[in-house]
Amino acid sequence: MIGDLLNPPRGARPSQQAGPPRSLRLIGVVLAALLALPLLYLLLRAAEMGPSDLAAILLRPRTVDALWNSVRLAAATTLTTTLIAVPAAWLTTRTDLPARRLWLILLVLPLVFPSFVGGYVVVSALGPRGMMQGWLETLFGIQRLPEIYGFPGALLTMTLFTYPYTLLSVRAALQGLDPALEESARSLGLTAWQSFFRLTMPLLRPAIVAGGLLVALYTLSDFGAVSLLQYDALPRVILVQLTASLNRGGAAILSLLLAIVTLIVLIFEARSAARTRYYSVGSGAKRRHSRVALGKWRGIALTFCATVVGWALVMPLAVLLFWLIRGLRAGEPMRALWSLTANSLYASGLAALATTLVALPIAFLVVRYPSLLSRVVGRVAYMGYGLPGIVVALALISFGATYATPLYQTLVMLVFAYVVRFLPQALGTVESALQQLSPRVEDAARSLGYGPLQVLGRVTLPLARNGIASAAALIFLTTMKELPATLFLSPLGFRTLATRIWDTTSEGFFAQGAAPALVLVFFSAFSLLPILVATRER
Amino acid sequence: MRYIIRTALLLTLMLLAVACGQSQNASTSDDSPTVAAEADPEAQPDPEAQPDPEAEGASDEIMGEGGLVIYSGRSETLVGPVIEMFEEESGIDVQVRYGETAEMAATILEEGQNSPADIYYGQDAGALGALANEGRLTVLPTDLLESVEARFRSQEGEWVGVTGRARVVVYNTEALSEADMPASILDFTDPRWAGKLGWAPTNGSFQAFVTALRASLGEEAAREWLEGIQANQPKVYSNNSAIVDAVVSGEIEAGFVNHYYLLRLLKESGGELPAANYYFPTADIGNLINVAGVGILDTARHQEAAEQFVRFLLSEEAQRYFANETDEYPLAAAVPTASDVVPLADIPTPEIDLNKLQDLDGTLELLLELGIL
């Protein structure tokens, strides 16, 4: 295998230098092959186009503009989400902020709004003649707000509904840090602020980068919110090719362009987080972190949290409630949502389980056995995430209907689609959890007579459980709102809250879409509770 | 701590077990609107699974294995109740996949010969034509085709229109009165509309209109119109609902949409809104009537049941539902239009062959070339 050729001879530090166990390598290769299906599909479809078509599509000024717009939006969103997520994670994890846990839930919840709902909400609340303008007109007589459409609106929407990715990632990392490190820093004379910026921040870098990566790729591949805010990004151009003329070849070429951008982002990410050890080597006895007393900063901290929650959670909820009440008053009939809710919870639960199971071996390969193989597997895992959902869905339709007929349109296929689409969300979190765990702890367990599986089950997994639990929670929440794969690959007749929201809002029945959206938020909030319990510091 | 992890593991294993059991009869988790009330698909057998014995006998003969499969480019909110009525009357089990019209067509093309779909139910004539062009639709029986006017069906007989919709201009009644509205959609290129218009160039209905414009007035006229509108810097929305919302709020004064979006918003908001639909007084291309229609796939496994379904859509019962509930134009069985909708007979409609709407490629090229898409 290639991995063998690249690995130096087995030496003094077996756990890092030796190649991965054969079984792990095999699992990695198989998973990579499965995860690469969308890419393979795109290459096959693109190959059907002649070189002249290729040039015509790629060199069109509009393609270039859209590409630039996509990149610009992704970069800006990554920056703004980091600025929100890092303080939010720190405040809710390390300080004596009043009602910390409640704030944490409220700050993570915006994750559950499907992006097209986010788009509708922002437009109706902040549009030039939206609800906000209505209030301002009564109060100050303001006739018209500045345009929300285009870059500012898209940036605001993407920021509000994606910063929790970085928040969760950073929170897990903060909890995994050995308190001894900060204590030493403080005992060596650093102030709390100095220790945060000179020690904690650098240690958090992998988590910030991992969260930022999720945000950047989510933004690159998003279609719903971005198109509602009239921002001309690449996914919108891809959808135009697909829907206006069923031009699957043209859509494939543009999707490959997006895949290349994803690859560049990944290389960038690898550079920025490269070659540092993020674990401590000492005895590593985990203790409770000391809480930073906010003191006079408490007011500012609360204002910060309240502002973020106000924009990202209260505003959308208010708009949804407004739609619901307006509809109920006008006598709109409301349909029962029980089985939709059951289906949503069920599919999301399976997706969380399956994705976490797939993420574990890959994260192991990537973190513990760096090699060409693990790099390839680790990058391929991100490909499905950086592509618009509809493109991934069409790829799996194409392969599923032809080569996996018995599985086509079953739950197995649907869960597989979720894995392909969302694996990176679990991968990033599990990877940073493993990075914080010294391989020497595993070596020690091995030297005391544990076999590889025992080390995994008794040492590695328990120590990394915060990261693993966060990963499962992320996948659960993201799957709850997933749309394209659910629409196209679910068993016939299998419908979820997200498909109902789409079904109604796309036809202009906003009241009927508001009800399932509110149910979605409600159940997602509950799904956060086990995570908080599982990640409670002892 | 350990207890929690173990409980979680056990729960997930149970879920998995249920998943395996369920994937064979995933259809029982069907959530057609009324069935939705019976919550838990695992706990109780689906009542729909046991139709009355008479109907079952009939459907067994027709159906063989599995239910009739419909790929619907129209949303469940609109067509779910009709499909349910059909199930009740025929005893035939129906499974539906819902999605966007064009994406559903793309799905059928990707699935190729293995497509499980029997019927494609699309939102516009263009997508139906595109599928027919790829050879995926079969010729329908003459009696079905002839239950609608010739202008609302495929000339080759590969699809038939079920309901109609009119293109209209929705306008804000506080900013404009009907007298301010022009005689033709071509007049919206007048600079007086600068900054006051909204459109949705990615929307299928809009693209169908542009195709109709090209087909009836020629490429040059279509190009001139698009350029003229563009010079007026219209606001770009992602769909019809967004345009209607913007007109109601006064963000724009007028927008190009289908007739029923305003009617739905009126119902939802309880009646009074500062907006109205405008129909052109002459047979202007702006008054285009497009259809939602159905076709039976070449790979259909339930030919007879599929025909039965198409027949049902064209029946008085279904047509009446569409007229009253979705505010569309009924096309068959002489069903009258809902009271709040301008009757089809009162709209001076342009002569246009809907079969020509399948030339979306040309429209796309034009829109791309002009930088509209």
Side-chain angles (χ1 to χ4, degrees), chain A residues 41 62 230 346 408 490 503, chain B residues 77 97 110-111 236 373:
Chain A
Y41 162 85
R62 187 180 148 84
Q230 310 180 4
Y346 182 55
Y408 186 57
S490 59
D503 191 277
Chain B
T77 314
R97 178 170 299 287
E110 286 297 353
E111 288 173 339
V236 179
L373 275 182

Side-chain angles (χ1 to χ4, degrees), chain B residues 31-316:
Chain B
D31 176 54
S32 46
T34 54
V35 187
E38 280 96 29
D40 195 349
E42 296 133 49
Q44 56 191 142
D46 190 339
E48 298 284 347
Q50 299 145 338
D52 63 282
E54 234 174 290
E56 192 176 17
S59 68
D60 269 358
E61 252 166 60
I62 300 171
M63 298 303 300
E65 224 176 297
L68 180 70
V69 177
I70 300 171
Y71 275 18
S72 172
R74 317 202 65 204
S75 81
E76 184 176 13
T77 314
L78 297 179
V79 303
V82 165
I83 288 167
E84 224 175 285
M85 291 193 281
F86 171 72
E87 278 187 298
E88 267 167 37
E89 280 183 22
S90 64
I92 292 172
D93 182 31
V94 181
Q95 318 248 355
V96 197
R97 178 170 299 287
Y98 292 99
E100 299 278 358
T101 288
E103 291 170 7
M104 275 295 146
T107 302
I108 289 170
L109 295 183
E110 286 297 353
E111 288 173 339
Q113 295 307 300
N114 289 325
S115 178
D118 296 306
I119 283 190
Y120 173 74
Y121 190 176
Q123 188 97 277
D124 84 314
L128 285 156
L131 266 189
N133 248 10
E134 298 270 343
R136 295 306 306 270
L137 299 180
T138 56
V139 175
L140 294 166
T142 322
D143 68 309
L144 289 180
L145 291 167
E146 286 180 352
S147 50
V148 306
E149 285 177 52
R151 59 179 173 145
F152 297 133
R153 64 180 189 238
S154 146
Q155 276 175 346
E156 281 74 39
E158 291 162 315
W159 55 264
V160 58
V162 176
T163 50
R165 87 186 78 116
R167 288 298 288 179
V168 297
V169 180
V170 61
Y171 65 99
N172 184 299
T173 48
E174 283 164 2
L176 300 168
S177 71
E178 191 163 348
D180 297 324
M181 301 300 278
S184 163
I185 196 158
L186 300 181
D187 299 336
F188 279 104
T189 53
D190 189 300
R192 93 166 205 67
W193 295 101
K196 295 174 178 169
L197 295 174
W199 65 0
T202 52
N203 176 266
S205 293
F206 174 78
Q207 290 168 355
F209 162 73
V210 175
T211 316
L213 191 63
R214 291 169 49 227
S216 67
L217 301 180
E219 293 291 334
E220 266 322 295
R223 177 187 295 267
E224 268 171 36
W225 184 77
L226 288 168
E227 282 172 344
I229 297 290
Q230 235 190 332
N232 280 338
Q233 297 182 312
K235 300 269 163 57
V236 179
Y237 296 89
S238 68
N239 57 35
N240 284 307
S241 303
I243 295 180
V244 173
D245 269 350
V247 166
V248 167
S249 73
E251 193 175 311
I252 47 174
E253 291 185 4
F256 308 127
V257 294
N258 296 336
H259 76 275
Y260 45 74
Y261 288 96
L262 176 64
L263 303 177
R264 286 177 198 163
L265 193 64
L266 281 168
K267 277 185 187 171
E268 189 169 304
S269 53
E272 289 296 302
L273 290 177
N277 278 340
Y278 175 73
Y279 294 84
F280 297 98
T282 57
D284 191 78
I285 189 68
N287 287 346
L288 175 72
I289 309 288
N290 197 348
V291 298
V294 282
I296 298 179
L297 293 194
D298 60 334
T299 49
R301 294 184 179 90
H302 309 106
Q303 186 71 30
E304 205 174 320
E307 280 176 21
Q308 215 174 317
F309 178 71
V310 176
R311 186 161 286 118
F312 179 78
L313 286 181
L314 298 168
S315 73
E316 193 192 333

Side-chain angles (χ1 to χ4, degrees), chain A residues 1 3-23 25 369 446:
Chain A
M1 301 284 299
D4 282 335
L5 295 176
L6 290 180
N7 269 321
R10 283 153 203 253
R13 298 173 61 196
S15 68
Q16 275 195 302
Q17 299 296 316
R22 183 160 303 189
S23 54
R25 201 184 306 165
Y369 306 100
R446 213 168 288 131

Side-chain angles (χ1 to χ4, degrees), chain A residues 16-304:
Chain A
Q16 275 195 302
Q17 299 296 316
R22 183 160 303 189
S23 54
L24 190 59
R25 201 184 306 165
L26 188 69
I27 292 173
V29 170
V30 171
L31 287 178
L34 286 172
L35 293 167
L37 281 179
L39 219 49
L40 181 62
Y41 162 85
L42 290 178
L43 288 170
L44 289 174
R45 278 271 170 267
E48 288 169 7
M49 306 288 282
S52 58
D53 294 327
L54 191 85
I57 289 173
L58 288 180
L59 297 179
R60 198 175 273 152
R62 187 180 148 84
T63 307
V64 180
D65 285 350
L67 178 64
W68 164 237
N69 280 344
S70 277
V71 171
R72 192 160 67 111
L73 182 66
T77 310
T78 311
L79 185 68
T80 51
T81 48
T82 308
L83 292 178
I84 293 176
V86 174
W90 185 73
L91 284 171
T92 53
T93 314
R94 285 297 182 77
T95 68
D96 61 350
L97 185 79
R100 261 180 314 127
R101 272 172 211 293
L102 181 65
W103 282 117
L104 178 64
I105 297 180
L106 297 179
L107 282 164
V108 175
L109 263 181
L111 198 63
V112 308
F113 294 106
S115 88
F116 61 95
V117 172
Y120 276 122
V121 159
V122 168
V123 170
S124 46
L126 304 176
R129 302 269 298 169
M131 294 175 187
M132 179 80 93
Q133 181 272 334
W135 296 329
L136 293 178
E137 182 159 7
T138 8
L139 292 175
F140 309 109
I142 292 174
Q143 294 282 329
R144 208 177 175 90
L145 288 180
E147 289 281 324
I148 184 84
Y149 300 113
F151 184 78
L155 175 61
L156 176 72
T157 314
M158 294 317 293
T159 304
L160 290 180
F161 302 108
T162 60
Y163 77 83
Y165 289 120
T166 311
L167 169 58
L168 281 176
S169 166
V170 172
R171 174 183 153 84
L174 273 173
Q175 289 184 319
L177 284 186
D178 189 339
L181 289 173
E182 284 172 35
E183 284 161 20
S184 331
R186 297 296 299 281
S187 74
L188 291 170
L190 263 59
T191 65
W193 286 110
Q194 283 174 323
S195 122
F196 180 78
F197 281 106
R198 287 172 54 184
L199 180 81
T200 315
M201 275 299 275
L203 284 170
L204 289 180
R205 205 168 64 178
I208 295 172
V209 170
L213 186 63
L214 292 182
V215 170
L217 296 184
Y218 189 102
T219 310
L220 277 178
S221 65
D222 181 71
F223 169 69
V226 172
S227 70
L228 280 165
L229 282 145
Q230 310 180 4
Y231 186 65
D232 207 12
L234 206 47
R236 182 159 140 178
V237 183
I238 294 174
L239 260 285
V240 163
Q241 288 283 334
L242 260 183
T243 58
S245 65
L246 298 183
N247 183 348
R248 292 168 291 160
I253 290 172
L254 292 169
S255 302
L256 282 174
L257 196 58
L258 205 50
I260 292 170
V261 177
T262 303
L263 209 60
I264 293 171
V265 174
L266 284 173
I267 291 169
F268 191 68
E269 180 252 351
R271 286 270 161 81
S272 79
R275 321 280 163 258
T276 323
R277 279 191 343 202
Y278 292 99
Y279 47 83
S280 66
V281 196
S283 61
K286 287 287 170 73
R287 297 184 310 280
R288 195 181 254 286
H289 289 282
S290 59
R291 298 232 170 277
V292 177
L294 285 171
K296 60 179 175 178
W297 294 92
R298 179 174 297 185
I300 293 173
L302 283 172
T303 314
F304 171 78

